[in-house]
Amino acid sequence: MQILVTNDDGIHSTGIQVLANHLSDLAKVVVVAPDRERSAVGHSLTLHSPLRAEEVRPGVFAIDGTPTDCVNLGIHGLLESRPALVVSGINRGGNLGDDITYSGTVSAAMEATLMGVPAFAISLDAKRFGPEDFKSSASFAVKLADMILQKGLPPDTFLNVNVPCSEPRGARLTRQGKRIYGDVVVEKLDPRGRKYYWIGGGELGFQDIEGTDFNAIRDNFISVTPLHLDLTNYRSFDHLASWGLES
Ligand code: MN
């Protein structure tokens, strides 16, 4: 039995190393991860250039592609057999609320789900990312991986896990919260006097909604959000039906 481990912070990040070490207590771990940081690439897939896989150590592959590429290559090429589970992380920083569509970490788990392999993403919502800081996340990852290997996940479901920076009080099943996006584009001048822009400069808030991932993290709980890929807004059908589109 094999577990495929990936991330979007790159193969050299501390989070993936701590995660892979801990999960190797459960099963054989194969790491297939980007050769450099690929945060916020979302579910991007490389279709117009070749991909290279370098086996930097036995069972550890660096790919010059995105997290989605890594899961694809891992499942369809690099692993001797289909993995029993894909785990993505441990990400440097939370992946909460509306932010998750940008996340390479979460998209890797999404890709595994598309290939029919159970998966979860795990992120540490902190400001410090030393080996010690990832410990409670890694222990929870092992517990959750063990649970999934025993019980399986419901169909088309993957889990988005976020861990608070201080010692967790426990875990909560949550739903996706709502981000408050502020003035997040910073305009500056380069040394030649031309404007440039930097996205995501400001501190972001979130709406205080009971039962959400944001609130769980604020209250020092580990947040576990079950996600699926169906983005259909079922609640909008009544409203849109009155437009007469279906003539
Ligand atoms: Mn990242």
Side-chain angles (χ1 to χ4, degrees):
M1 192 171 61
Q2 298 179 96
I3 299 176
L4 194 169
V5 169
T6 192
N7 74 349
D8 76 357
D9 294 337
I11 200 142
H12 302 295
S13 77
T14 309
I16 198 170
Q17 288 165 8
V18 176
L19 179 65
N21 283 341
H22 275 70
L23 287 173
S24 61
D25 293 344
L26 279 181
K28 186 187 172 200
V29 170
V30 180
V31 174
V32 185
D35 61 1
R36 70 201 82 163
E37 165 137 25
R38 294 290 188 137
S39 291
V41 297
H43 200 184
S44 160
L45 183 66
T46 304
L47 293 178
H48 302 290
S49 61
L51 289 166
R52 308 275 180 198
E54 191 195 344
E55 190 165 14
V56 290
R57 288 191 301 284
V60 179
F61 296 88
I63 311 294
D64 57 349
T66 67
T68 296
D69 294 331
C70 293
V71 171
N72 233 288
L73 241 65
I75 293 176
H76 293 133
L78 299 172
L79 273 65
E80 302 132 22
S81 61
R82 216 171 149 75
L85 176 69
V86 171
V87 185
S88 178
I90 302 164
N91 190 59
R92 292 166 58 99
N95 276 304
L96 297 156
D98 304 305
D99 290 349
I100 61 171
T101 56
Y102 302 112
S103 168
T105 309
V106 175
S107 294
M110 203 182 276
E111 184 69 3
T113 310
L114 285 172
M115 324 253 113
V117 178
F120 68 90
I122 183 161
S123 307
L124 174 61
D125 191 59
K127 298 240 158 28
R128 285 195 348 232
F129 301 103
E132 289 299 308
D133 301 306
F134 285 106
K135 268 203 164 155
S136 52
S137 311
S139 311
F140 190 76
V142 172
K143 190 172 144 181
L144 191 59
D146 194 24
M147 203 88 92
I148 294 171
L149 292 173
Q150 283 179 46
K151 296 176 187 287
L153 281 170
D156 302 321
T157 304
F158 62 104
L159 304 177
N160 181 34
V161 180
N162 282 274
V163 179
C165 57
S166 39
E167 194 53 35
R169 292 162 63 195
R172 289 278 180 266
L173 274 176
T174 59
R175 61 199 170 96
Q176 242 184 293
K178 290 294 273 177
R179 182 58 95 189
I180 300 169
Y181 292 102
D183 295 329
V184 289
V185 175
V186 178
E187 187 184 295
K188 299 249 176 183
L189 286 181
D190 74 15
R192 297 198 174 88
R194 287 176 57 214
K195 279 182 194 168
Y196 68 89
Y197 301 90
W198 202 270
I199 293 176
E203 271 290 306
L204 302 171
F206 61 92
Q207 292 180 19
D208 182 352
I209 306 167
E210 182 75 29
T212 59
D213 47 8
F214 281 118
N215 281 32
I217 289 294
R218 181 201 61 194
D219 299 338
N220 261 325
F221 284 96
I222 294 172
S223 162
V224 180
T225 312
L227 297 175
H228 63 166
L229 293 164
D230 182 358
L231 297 178
T232 311
N233 185 353
Y234 292 93
R235 284 170 297 186
S236 72
F237 274 97
D238 283 347
H239 179 90
L240 295 172
S242 68
W243 291 14
L245 295 170
E246 293 183 305
S247 54

